[in-house]
Amino acid sequence: LAIEQATMADKSLLPEELFGNAVAGHVRSWRAPWGWIVSPDFSGDIFAHQDDLLAGTLEAGAEVNFVIGVDDKTGKPRALEIEVVGFSQDFARNKPPPGGSGGGGGVKRKAGGELLEGTVVKWIDKWGWISSPVLGDRNVFGHIDNTVNQEPLEPGSSVTFVLGEDNKGRERALEIAVAREDGASERLQGTIKSWKG
């Protein structure tokens, strides 16, 4: 890929629209060996991994230069050739809240809100990925805070969920429940006997 210096400073662009470009940014959050980088050149954030570090030490607030690439495992944007060039104490102190990358903050149902069926593709501690025939070849992010019983899920488990989005507009699974062998899920079901409103 030809590497060009991105100078757009256009927050309406997504990282994937800048593949191959060298950009500057700050590490928004870091929990070794991975974290998230933000940049004035695009909206949202981009995944970063220690394996892609060329120079310096990654930590929240680090000023970095990097190339926008693709994660071979997920096909999603990933920061490559990361070089730490400084540190912003102000940025580290005033970093934006995690919102979309962690628990339930800032998440909402997408329009329609129908119940979908899927399979847990991968689950690590408190988060993972869920596939569904409705989503085609893409997987949706899931977090333990959005499971019905607040417990980790097992890869290969059949689940039901509602498609939602975080405060950055990224899709995620909400109201995740493990489907039982009889096809039902852990959700409560019943009939409304009376309704005022």
Side-chain angles (χ1 to χ4, degrees), residues 116-120 130-131 153 157-161 176-179:
L116 303 176
E117 295 179 351
T119 303
V120 178
I130 298 170
S131 68
L153 300 172
S157 298
S158 294
V159 294
T160 60
F161 64 97
I176 307 164
V178 175

Side-chain angles (χ1 to χ4, degrees), residues 155-176:
S157 298
S158 294
V159 294
T160 60
F161 64 97
V162 173
L163 197 58
E165 60 184 31
D166 65 17
N167 58 1
K168 294 181 183 177
R170 295 177 294 196
E171 287 184 326
R172 70 185 296 156
L174 304 176
E175 304 173 31
I176 307 164

